[in-house]
């Protein structure tokens, strides 16, 4: 199995290599791809070093699958070229997510939508992935009407520059800024650019991607996305209104039986999910599950996951695993 990782030297690309190793994906040849200035550099994978090549060279090497994490413009330019050469592309950028001809996939939620003909497959937004994993079983049981979500997102979602900014500020060092404002001892209620409706692009990603992944346009979603000075993962306060009534203990049981979800919810012992607990783990953690006492059929909960893993690298590798199990690669 020849596997190309496009954007192999970046934060998510490095995490892709780590996840491919940990999950023992059957890589016989790694093809690390990065920008022209990185060509010739070496990356280490499973104890061996592999030379970084250009996208053109990678296509000529005919990988079975190419996992992209190099930004939207790179994906728009190169994913079709890989696909035209018969290479299956799993793309972690926002480039193809809302394309009506492309599948947007969280394997546990809608992996069954994939076919052998899908040559460009979109990996959803990190904050959407962790939420829909929890929404899926609840929607099947109680039918979701509306979701109100506020996110508390790690600086790692922005990239190395943002991590450096936070650590510099912690040490009182002035340096390059990833954000328009300081992030240490601060929260920034803007992720991505503002749109004409007053929402940010990140917020509208959550709205639109949730409906597409859940295959239900009737689900109403409204979001506020916030950047916080945290490293380990993204957290979300989620309010879910159902068409049908529910039992809180039944919700806990349902979620604890959901693959990829771990319930951590014991207020008497102050147990609930936190980013530091989710760091470097593949599961989505849920807690603070409680009835919304202000209106019927509504539940509140807190959802946490490592945004570089399940929110990006792990989900992409899981898509590759699904395709491999079907012998489609």
């Amino acid at each position: 199995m020849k596997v190309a990782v496009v954007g192999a030297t970046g934060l998510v690309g490095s995490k892709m290599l780590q996840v491919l190793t940990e999950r023992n994906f059957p890589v016989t040849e790694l093809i690390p791809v990065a920008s022209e200035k990185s060509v010739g550099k070496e990356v280490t994978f499973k104890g061996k070093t592999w030379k970084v090549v250009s996208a053109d060279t990678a296509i000529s090497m005919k990988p079975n699958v190419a996992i992209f994490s190099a930004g939207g413009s790179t994906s728009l330019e190169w994913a079709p070229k890989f696909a035209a050469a018969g290479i299956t592309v799993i793309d972690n950028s926002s480039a193809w997510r809302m394309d009506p001809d492309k599948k947007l996939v969280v394997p546990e939620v809608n992996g069954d939508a994939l076919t052998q003909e899908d040559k460009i497959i979109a990996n959803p937004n990190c904050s959407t992935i962790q939420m829909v994993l929890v929404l899926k079983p609840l929607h099947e049981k109680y039918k979701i009407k509306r979701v109100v979500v506020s996110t508390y997102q790690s600086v790692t979602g922005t990239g190395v520059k943002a991590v450096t900014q936070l650590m510099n500020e912690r040490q009182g060092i002035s340096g390059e800024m990833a954000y328009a404002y300081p992030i240490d001892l601060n929260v920034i209620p803007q992720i991505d650019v503002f749109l004409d409706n007053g929402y940010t692009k990140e917020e509208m990603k959550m709205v639109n991607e949730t409906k597409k992944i859940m295959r239900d346009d009737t689900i109403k979603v409204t979001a506020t996305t916030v950047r916080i000075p945290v490293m380990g993962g993204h957290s979300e306060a989620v309010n879910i209104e159902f068409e049908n009534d529910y039992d809180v203990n039944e919700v806990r049981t349902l979620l604890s039986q959901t693959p990829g979800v771990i319930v951590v919810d014991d207020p008497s012992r102050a147990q609930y999910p936190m980013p530091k607990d989710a760091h470097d783990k593949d599961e989505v953690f849920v807690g603070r599950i409680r009835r919304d006492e202000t209106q019927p059929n509504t539940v509140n909960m807190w959802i946490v996951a490592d945004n570089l893993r399940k929110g990006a690298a792990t989900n992409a590798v899981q898509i590759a695993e699904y395709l491999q199990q079907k012998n489609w690669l």
Side-chain angles (χ1 to χ4, degrees):
M1 178 83 64
K2 286 189 187 181
V3 178
V5 175
V6 182
T9 56
L11 204 55
V12 177
S14 306
K15 194 61 72 173
M16 297 267 188
L17 299 178
Q18 183 186 333
V19 172
L20 284 165
T21 303
E22 287 175 12
R23 294 178 75 91
N24 240 351
F25 193 76
V27 181
T28 53
E29 184 180 348
L30 178 73
I31 304 171
V33 184
S35 61
E36 291 295 338
K37 69 174 188 292
S38 296
V39 169
K41 287 184 180 171
E42 291 184 337
V43 300
T44 304
F45 177 72
K46 288 191 172 180
K48 287 178 70 176
T49 55
W50 306 82
K51 274 203 164 33
V52 172
V53 300
S54 68
D56 262 331
T57 303
I59 293 171
S60 70
M61 294 168 78
K62 301 232 174 299
N64 300 78
V65 62
I67 306 177
F68 273 63
S69 192
S73 56
T74 301
S75 295
L76 285 171
E77 180 184 356
W78 286 100
K81 294 177 182 176
F82 276 76
I87 302 157
T88 301
V89 172
I90 300 166
D91 180 47
N92 194 48
S93 79
S94 60
W96 304 100
R97 289 178 189 156
M98 295 314 297
D99 184 319
D101 298 325
K102 305 290 183 289
K103 307 286 170 56
L104 181 67
V105 175
V106 178
E108 301 95 326
V109 178
N110 65 337
D112 60 321
L114 289 168
T115 69
Q116 195 166 1
E117 283 66 53
D118 292 312
K119 283 299 173 195
I120 298 177
I121 301 160
N123 209 33
N125 185 37
C126 46
S127 45
T128 307
I129 289 175
Q130 66 189 68
M131 186 171 77
V132 295
L133 205 61
V134 172
L135 295 185
K136 170 83 175 340
L138 301 177
H139 187 49
E140 285 176 350
K141 179 82 176 174
Y142 310 111
K143 188 142 177 48
I144 294 170
K145 285 173 70 176
R146 182 170 186 253
V147 178
V148 182
V149 54
S150 297
T151 72
Y152 307 77
Q153 294 183 221
S154 161
V155 291
T156 57
T158 309
V160 176
K161 192 171 160 185
V163 173
T164 304
Q165 179 183 332
L166 173 60
M167 299 323 285
N168 280 347
E169 288 170 1
R170 293 240 125 157
Q171 295 163 48
I173 300 166
S174 60
E176 199 179 3
M177 303 268 285
Y179 305 115
Y181 302 99
I183 186 63
D184 191 30
L185 301 177
N186 194 24
V187 301
I188 302 173
Q190 176 190 351
I191 297 179
D192 214 323
V193 295
F194 281 103
L195 304 171
D196 291 342
N197 64 356
Y199 288 80
T200 66
K201 210 167 171 182
E202 181 84 359
E203 288 158 356
M204 293 314 297
K205 282 177 192 173
M206 292 194 77
V207 172
N208 298 322
E209 290 180 23
T210 298
K211 295 179 182 194
K212 183 170 177 178
I213 298 162
M214 300 284 287
R215 295 181 276 207
D216 192 338
D217 283 338
T218 67
I219 300 173
K220 295 175 179 169
V221 182
T222 187
T224 303
T225 58
V226 181
R227 189 71 68 191
I228 64 170
V230 159
M231 300 284 272
H234 292 349
S235 306
E236 300 171 347
V238 187
N239 177 273
I240 309 161
E241 182 186 356
F242 303 120
E243 278 192 10
N244 306 300
D245 202 9
Y246 67 93
D247 175 79
V248 171
N249 287 326
E250 190 180 50
V251 167
R252 283 195 192 95
T253 302
L254 195 60
L255 292 175
S256 64
Q257 293 168 349
T258 300
V261 174
I262 293 177
V263 175
V264 182
D265 192 21
D266 186 351
S268 68
R269 294 163 63 200
Q271 290 187 343
Y272 31 71
M274 293 178 286
K276 72 177 188 64
D277 304 319
H279 178 61
D280 243 359
K281 296 191 176 73
D282 287 330
E283 295 82 11
V284 172
F285 297 83
V286 191
R288 300 296 320 279
I289 301 166
R290 64 212 188 274
R291 187 172 284 277
D292 179 344
E293 296 178 342
T294 66
Q295 65 172 11
N297 307 347
T298 305
V299 66
N300 283 304
M301 60 184 65
W302 177 252
I303 303 172
V304 180
D306 186 322
N307 53 293
L308 293 182
R309 290 187 70 103
K310 183 55 183 168
T314 302
N315 198 71
V317 173
Q318 284 176 309
I319 293 172
E321 288 171 345
Y322 184 95
L323 298 172
Q324 188 227 348
Q325 283 155 13
K326 296 277 189 185
N327 291 318
W328 290 345
L329 291 182

